[in-house]
Short mmCIF file of all heavy atoms in Angstrom, two decimals:
data_model
loop_
_atom_site.label_atom_id
_atom_site.label_comp_id
_atom_site.label_asym_id
_atom_site.label_seq_id
_atom_site.Cartn_x
_atom_site.Cartn_y
_atom_site.Cartn_z
N LEU A 178 -32.77 -3.36 4.88
CA LEU A 178 -31.72 -2.61 5.62
C LEU A 178 -30.75 -1.86 4.74
O LEU A 178 -29.81 -1.28 5.18
CB LEU A 178 -30.96 -3.50 6.59
CG LEU A 178 -31.79 -4.16 7.72
CD1 LEU A 178 -30.92 -5.07 8.53
CD2 LEU A 178 -32.46 -3.16 8.56
N LYS A 179 -30.98 -1.91 3.41
CA LYS A 179 -30.09 -1.27 2.45
C LYS A 179 -29.87 0.24 2.73
O LYS A 179 -28.78 0.74 2.53
CB LYS A 179 -30.60 -1.44 1.02
CG LYS A 179 -30.49 -2.82 0.48
CD LYS A 179 -29.23 -2.96 -0.31
CE LYS A 179 -29.25 -4.33 -0.97
NZ LYS A 179 -27.98 -4.87 -1.26
N HIS A 180 -30.95 0.89 3.19
CA HIS A 180 -30.84 2.33 3.45
C HIS A 180 -29.89 2.70 4.55
O HIS A 180 -29.46 3.84 4.67
CB HIS A 180 -32.23 2.87 3.77
CG HIS A 180 -32.82 2.43 5.05
ND1 HIS A 180 -33.35 1.07 5.21
CD2 HIS A 180 -32.89 2.98 6.27
CE1 HIS A 180 -33.74 0.94 6.45
NE2 HIS A 180 -33.50 2.11 7.13
N LEU A 181 -29.48 1.74 5.40
CA LEU A 181 -28.55 1.98 6.47
C LEU A 181 -27.09 1.95 6.04
O LEU A 181 -26.20 2.39 6.81
CB LEU A 181 -28.74 0.98 7.59
CG LEU A 181 -30.09 1.01 8.31
CD1 LEU A 181 -30.21 -0.13 9.34
CD2 LEU A 181 -30.30 2.34 9.01
N ASN A 182 -26.86 1.52 4.83
CA ASN A 182 -25.44 1.42 4.30
C ASN A 182 -24.50 0.68 5.23
O ASN A 182 -23.36 1.12 5.52
CB ASN A 182 -24.89 2.83 4.03
CG ASN A 182 -25.59 3.51 2.94
OD1 ASN A 182 -25.96 2.90 1.92
ND2 ASN A 182 -25.88 4.83 3.08
N LEU A 183 -24.95 -0.41 5.78
CA LEU A 183 -24.19 -1.17 6.76
C LEU A 183 -22.87 -1.71 6.16
O LEU A 183 -21.83 -1.79 6.81
CB LEU A 183 -24.97 -2.32 7.36
CG LEU A 183 -26.15 -1.90 8.25
CD1 LEU A 183 -26.97 -3.10 8.69
CD2 LEU A 183 -25.64 -1.12 9.44
N ARG A 184 -22.90 -2.14 4.91
CA ARG A 184 -21.67 -2.62 4.27
C ARG A 184 -20.63 -1.53 4.12
O ARG A 184 -19.46 -1.81 4.20
CB ARG A 184 -22.02 -3.26 2.94
CG ARG A 184 -22.67 -4.61 3.07
CD ARG A 184 -22.62 -5.38 1.80
NE ARG A 184 -22.97 -6.78 2.09
CZ ARG A 184 -22.97 -7.70 1.19
NH1 ARG A 184 -22.65 -7.40 -0.11
NH2 ARG A 184 -23.25 -8.95 1.51
N LYS A 185 -21.08 -0.33 3.94
CA LYS A 185 -20.17 0.81 3.82
C LYS A 185 -19.37 0.98 5.08
O LYS A 185 -18.21 1.39 5.06
CB LYS A 185 -20.92 2.09 3.44
CG LYS A 185 -20.06 3.29 3.32
CD LYS A 185 -20.91 4.50 2.99
CE LYS A 185 -20.11 5.79 2.93
NZ LYS A 185 -20.92 6.94 2.64
N TRP A 186 -20.00 0.73 6.26
CA TRP A 186 -19.36 0.92 7.58
C TRP A 186 -18.92 -0.31 8.27
O TRP A 186 -18.44 -0.22 9.36
CB TRP A 186 -20.35 1.76 8.46
CG TRP A 186 -20.67 3.06 7.84
CD1 TRP A 186 -21.81 3.45 7.23
CD2 TRP A 186 -19.76 4.19 7.78
NE1 TRP A 186 -21.73 4.74 6.76
CE2 TRP A 186 -20.45 5.22 7.11
CE3 TRP A 186 -18.49 4.45 8.20
CZ2 TRP A 186 -19.92 6.45 6.86
CZ3 TRP A 186 -17.93 5.71 7.97
CH2 TRP A 186 -18.65 6.66 7.29
N ALA A 187 -19.02 -1.46 7.68
CA ALA A 187 -18.68 -2.69 8.29
C ALA A 187 -17.18 -2.75 8.72
O ALA A 187 -16.82 -3.38 9.70
CB ALA A 187 -18.99 -3.89 7.36
N HIS A 188 -16.32 -2.08 7.93
CA HIS A 188 -14.87 -2.13 8.21
C HIS A 188 -14.56 -1.36 9.49
O HIS A 188 -13.48 -1.50 10.04
CB HIS A 188 -14.14 -1.53 7.06
CG HIS A 188 -14.37 -0.05 6.85
ND1 HIS A 188 -15.53 0.40 6.25
CD2 HIS A 188 -13.62 1.02 7.19
CE1 HIS A 188 -15.43 1.74 6.26
NE2 HIS A 188 -14.29 2.11 6.82
N MET A 189 -15.48 -0.51 10.00
CA MET A 189 -15.25 0.29 11.21
C MET A 189 -15.52 -0.50 12.50
O MET A 189 -15.08 -0.05 13.55
CB MET A 189 -16.07 1.56 11.20
CG MET A 189 -15.71 2.55 10.16
SD MET A 189 -14.09 3.33 10.47
CE MET A 189 -14.48 4.25 11.91
N LEU A 190 -16.18 -1.64 12.43
CA LEU A 190 -16.52 -2.34 13.67
C LEU A 190 -15.21 -2.85 14.35
O LEU A 190 -14.37 -3.47 13.70
CB LEU A 190 -17.39 -3.54 13.36
CG LEU A 190 -18.79 -3.12 12.84
CD1 LEU A 190 -19.56 -4.35 12.41
CD2 LEU A 190 -19.53 -2.33 13.86
N GLY A 191 -15.05 -2.53 15.60
CA GLY A 191 -13.87 -2.93 16.34
C GLY A 191 -12.66 -2.04 16.11
O GLY A 191 -11.59 -2.28 16.73
N PHE A 192 -12.76 -1.01 15.33
CA PHE A 192 -11.64 -0.12 15.04
C PHE A 192 -11.42 0.82 16.25
O PHE A 192 -12.35 1.47 16.68
CB PHE A 192 -11.90 0.71 13.81
CG PHE A 192 -10.81 1.67 13.41
CD1 PHE A 192 -9.56 1.16 13.07
CD2 PHE A 192 -11.02 3.03 13.53
CE1 PHE A 192 -8.54 2.07 12.77
CE2 PHE A 192 -9.97 3.89 13.22
CZ PHE A 192 -8.76 3.39 12.80
N ARG A 193 -10.17 0.83 16.79
CA ARG A 193 -9.93 1.63 17.99
C ARG A 193 -9.02 2.83 17.71
O ARG A 193 -8.48 3.42 18.61
CB ARG A 193 -9.31 0.76 19.07
CG ARG A 193 -10.23 -0.35 19.51
CD ARG A 193 -9.53 -1.23 20.53
NE ARG A 193 -9.06 -0.46 21.63
CZ ARG A 193 -9.53 -0.52 22.83
NH1 ARG A 193 -10.49 -1.32 23.12
NH2 ARG A 193 -9.02 0.24 23.80
N GLY A 194 -8.86 3.19 16.44
CA GLY A 194 -7.99 4.31 16.11
C GLY A 194 -8.79 5.62 16.01
O GLY A 194 -9.83 5.74 16.65
N HIS A 195 -8.30 6.51 15.23
CA HIS A 195 -9.01 7.79 15.06
C HIS A 195 -10.28 7.57 14.23
O HIS A 195 -10.22 6.92 13.18
CB HIS A 195 -8.15 8.81 14.33
CG HIS A 195 -7.04 9.33 15.22
ND1 HIS A 195 -7.30 10.16 16.25
CD2 HIS A 195 -5.72 9.12 15.15
CE1 HIS A 195 -6.14 10.45 16.85
NE2 HIS A 195 -5.18 9.85 16.21
N PHE A 196 -11.34 8.11 14.68
CA PHE A 196 -12.60 7.98 13.95
C PHE A 196 -12.80 9.06 12.93
O PHE A 196 -13.60 8.97 12.03
CB PHE A 196 -13.76 7.98 14.92
CG PHE A 196 -13.90 9.28 15.64
CD1 PHE A 196 -14.65 10.27 15.12
CD2 PHE A 196 -13.17 9.49 16.81
CE1 PHE A 196 -14.79 11.50 15.78
CE2 PHE A 196 -13.27 10.72 17.45
CZ PHE A 196 -14.06 11.73 16.90
N SER A 197 -12.07 10.18 13.09
CA SER A 197 -12.32 11.32 12.26
C SER A 197 -11.27 11.41 11.16
O SER A 197 -10.30 10.71 11.16
CB SER A 197 -12.25 12.59 13.12
OG SER A 197 -10.92 12.77 13.63
N THR A 198 -11.53 12.28 10.27
CA THR A 198 -10.65 12.46 9.13
C THR A 198 -9.35 13.14 9.50
O THR A 198 -9.28 13.85 10.52
CB THR A 198 -11.34 13.27 8.02
OG1 THR A 198 -10.47 13.34 6.89
CG2 THR A 198 -11.68 14.64 8.46
N LYS A 199 -8.29 12.87 8.74
CA LYS A 199 -7.04 13.53 8.97
C LYS A 199 -6.63 14.35 7.74
O LYS A 199 -5.49 14.76 7.60
CB LYS A 199 -5.93 12.50 9.24
CG LYS A 199 -6.11 11.82 10.55
CD LYS A 199 -4.92 10.91 10.83
CE LYS A 199 -5.01 10.28 12.15
NZ LYS A 199 -3.88 9.43 12.45
N THR A 200 -7.57 14.62 6.88
CA THR A 200 -7.28 15.34 5.66
C THR A 200 -7.09 16.81 5.93
O THR A 200 -7.73 17.40 6.80
CB THR A 200 -8.40 15.10 4.62
OG1 THR A 200 -8.06 15.83 3.45
CG2 THR A 200 -9.77 15.64 5.07
N ARG A 201 -6.23 17.43 5.16
CA ARG A 201 -6.02 18.86 5.27
C ARG A 201 -7.12 19.68 4.58
O ARG A 201 -7.25 20.90 4.84
CB ARG A 201 -4.63 19.25 4.71
CG ARG A 201 -3.52 18.61 5.49
CD ARG A 201 -2.15 19.02 4.88
NE ARG A 201 -1.05 18.24 5.32
CZ ARG A 201 -0.49 18.32 6.51
NH1 ARG A 201 -0.88 19.18 7.37
NH2 ARG A 201 0.52 17.52 6.78
N ALA A 202 -7.85 19.03 3.75
CA ALA A 202 -8.89 19.75 2.99
C ALA A 202 -10.23 19.82 3.76
O ALA A 202 -11.13 20.49 3.38
CB ALA A 202 -9.11 19.07 1.63
N TYR A 203 -10.35 19.08 4.86
CA TYR A 203 -11.53 19.05 5.62
C TYR A 203 -11.60 20.38 6.44
O TYR A 203 -10.70 21.19 6.41
CB TYR A 203 -11.56 17.85 6.56
CG TYR A 203 -12.89 17.50 7.12
CD1 TYR A 203 -14.02 17.23 6.34
CD2 TYR A 203 -13.10 17.50 8.50
CE1 TYR A 203 -15.23 16.96 6.85
CE2 TYR A 203 -14.30 17.23 9.04
CZ TYR A 203 -15.40 16.95 8.22
OH TYR A 203 -16.61 16.70 8.74
N SER A 204 -12.62 20.54 7.23
CA SER A 204 -12.83 21.83 7.95
C SER A 204 -11.70 22.15 8.90
O SER A 204 -11.32 23.29 9.08
CB SER A 204 -14.14 21.80 8.69
OG SER A 204 -14.14 20.81 9.70
N THR A 205 -11.13 21.12 9.55
CA THR A 205 -9.99 21.35 10.43
C THR A 205 -9.19 20.04 10.51
O THR A 205 -9.65 19.00 10.04
CB THR A 205 -10.42 21.75 11.84
OG1 THR A 205 -9.29 22.12 12.61
CG2 THR A 205 -11.18 20.62 12.55
N THR A 206 -8.00 20.10 11.05
CA THR A 206 -7.19 18.93 11.25
C THR A 206 -7.02 18.62 12.69
O THR A 206 -7.26 19.50 13.55
CB THR A 206 -5.82 19.09 10.56
OG1 THR A 206 -5.14 20.17 11.23
CG2 THR A 206 -5.93 19.42 9.12
N LEU A 207 -6.59 17.45 13.03
CA LEU A 207 -6.32 17.10 14.44
C LEU A 207 -5.24 17.93 14.99
O LEU A 207 -5.23 18.30 16.15
CB LEU A 207 -6.05 15.62 14.53
CG LEU A 207 -7.18 14.65 14.13
CD1 LEU A 207 -6.76 13.22 14.23
CD2 LEU A 207 -8.40 14.86 15.01
N GLY A 208 -4.23 18.24 14.18
CA GLY A 208 -3.16 19.11 14.61
C GLY A 208 -3.65 20.53 14.98
O GLY A 208 -3.17 21.12 15.95
N ALA A 209 -4.57 21.03 14.18
CA ALA A 209 -5.11 22.36 14.46
C ALA A 209 -5.92 22.37 15.77
O ALA A 209 -5.89 23.29 16.59
CB ALA A 209 -5.97 22.82 13.31
N LEU A 210 -6.66 21.25 16.02
CA LEU A 210 -7.39 21.17 17.26
C LEU A 210 -6.43 21.04 18.46
O LEU A 210 -6.65 21.68 19.48
CB LEU A 210 -8.31 19.89 17.23
CG LEU A 210 -9.47 20.00 16.23
CD1 LEU A 210 -10.18 18.64 16.20
CD2 LEU A 210 -10.38 21.08 16.61
N ARG A 211 -5.36 20.30 18.31
CA ARG A 211 -4.38 20.18 19.41
C ARG A 211 -3.74 21.54 19.66
O ARG A 211 -3.54 21.93 20.83
CB ARG A 211 -3.27 19.18 19.07
CG ARG A 211 -3.69 17.74 19.31
CD ARG A 211 -2.55 16.79 19.20
NE ARG A 211 -1.96 16.74 17.92
CZ ARG A 211 -2.33 16.01 16.88
NH1 ARG A 211 -3.33 15.15 17.10
NH2 ARG A 211 -1.71 16.01 15.74
N ALA A 212 -3.40 22.29 18.62
CA ALA A 212 -2.80 23.63 18.79
C ALA A 212 -3.78 24.55 19.48
O ALA A 212 -3.36 25.35 20.34
CB ALA A 212 -2.39 24.18 17.44
N ALA A 213 -5.05 24.51 19.14
CA ALA A 213 -6.04 25.40 19.76
C ALA A 213 -6.18 25.05 21.24
O ALA A 213 -6.28 25.96 22.08
CB ALA A 213 -7.38 25.27 19.05
N ARG A 214 -6.22 23.76 21.58
CA ARG A 214 -6.31 23.33 22.97
C ARG A 214 -5.08 23.84 23.78
O ARG A 214 -5.20 24.27 24.89
CB ARG A 214 -6.47 21.85 23.11
CG ARG A 214 -7.88 21.34 22.82
CD ARG A 214 -8.10 19.93 23.25
NE ARG A 214 -7.18 19.00 22.60
CZ ARG A 214 -7.41 18.38 21.46
NH1 ARG A 214 -8.56 18.55 20.84
NH2 ARG A 214 -6.55 17.53 20.98
N ALA A 215 -3.88 23.68 23.19
CA ALA A 215 -2.65 24.11 23.85
C ALA A 215 -2.67 25.61 24.07
O ALA A 215 -2.24 26.07 25.15
CB ALA A 215 -1.44 23.69 23.02
N ALA A 216 -3.12 26.35 23.08
CA ALA A 216 -3.16 27.85 23.24
C ALA A 216 -4.14 28.22 24.32
O ALA A 216 -3.87 29.12 25.14
CB ALA A 216 -3.55 28.48 21.91
N TRP A 217 -5.29 27.58 24.36
CA TRP A 217 -6.26 27.85 25.42
C TRP A 217 -5.66 27.56 26.79
O TRP A 217 -5.82 28.30 27.77
CB TRP A 217 -7.51 27.02 25.20
CG TRP A 217 -8.62 27.38 26.16
CD1 TRP A 217 -9.64 28.25 26.03
CD2 TRP A 217 -8.80 26.75 27.48
NE1 TRP A 217 -10.40 28.30 27.18
CE2 TRP A 217 -9.91 27.38 28.07
CE3 TRP A 217 -8.11 25.80 28.23
CZ2 TRP A 217 -10.38 27.05 29.34
CZ3 TRP A 217 -8.58 25.46 29.47
CH2 TRP A 217 -9.67 26.10 30.01
N HIS A 218 -4.99 26.43 26.91
CA HIS A 218 -4.41 26.05 28.18
C HIS A 218 -3.34 27.05 28.61
O HIS A 218 -3.25 27.39 29.79
CB HIS A 218 -3.78 24.65 28.05
CG HIS A 218 -3.33 24.05 29.40
ND1 HIS A 218 -2.15 24.38 29.95
CD2 HIS A 218 -3.97 23.22 30.20
CE1 HIS A 218 -2.01 23.72 31.08
NE2 HIS A 218 -3.13 23.06 31.29
N ARG A 219 -2.54 27.52 27.66
CA ARG A 219 -1.51 28.53 28.02
C ARG A 219 -2.17 29.83 28.52
O ARG A 219 -1.68 30.41 29.44
CB ARG A 219 -0.62 28.83 26.82
CG ARG A 219 0.45 27.79 26.56
CD ARG A 219 1.47 28.25 25.55
NE ARG A 219 0.89 28.53 24.25
CZ ARG A 219 0.67 27.65 23.27
NH1 ARG A 219 1.03 26.40 23.47
NH2 ARG A 219 0.12 27.98 22.14
N ARG A 220 -3.27 30.26 27.87
CA ARG A 220 -3.95 31.47 28.29
C ARG A 220 -4.59 31.38 29.65
O ARG A 220 -4.73 32.33 30.39
CB ARG A 220 -5.04 31.86 27.26
CG ARG A 220 -4.50 32.45 26.00
CD ARG A 220 -5.60 33.07 25.14
NE ARG A 220 -6.75 32.19 24.95
CZ ARG A 220 -6.83 31.36 23.91
NH1 ARG A 220 -5.88 31.28 22.98
NH2 ARG A 220 -7.90 30.57 23.75
N HIS A 221 -5.04 30.17 30.01
CA HIS A 221 -5.79 29.97 31.26
C HIS A 221 -5.00 29.32 32.36
O HIS A 221 -5.55 28.92 33.40
CB HIS A 221 -7.04 29.11 31.00
CG HIS A 221 -8.03 29.86 30.08
ND1 HIS A 221 -7.99 29.81 28.73
CD2 HIS A 221 -9.07 30.72 30.43
CE1 HIS A 221 -8.96 30.56 28.24
NE2 HIS A 221 -9.66 31.11 29.24
#
């Protein structure tokens, strides 16, 4: 089962927080997603 990298992800079991990254260097941030949703809601 080494190819599944289970030890790499063992710390995530039972985690109920954010699953995604919060880095500013990634493709987008959670703040940017919230802002886009709010803008869409205002337009519609």
Side-chain angles (χ1 to χ4, degrees):
L178 298 176
K179 288 265 188 207
H180 67 284
L181 296 176
N182 293 322
L183 292 175
R184 285 196 165 182
K185 178 180 176 182
W186 298 104
H188 68 282
M189 291 292 292
L190 294 176
F192 180 67
R193 295 178 56 112
H195 287 291
F196 63 91
S197 65
T198 183
K199 291 185 177 184
T200 180
R201 296 183 195 281
Y203 195 61
S204 63
T205 188
T206 61
L207 297 176
L210 292 174
R211 280 191 297 273
R214 282 193 300 270
W217 185 92
H218 189 277
R219 281 191 301 273
R220 284 192 309 270
H221 293 88

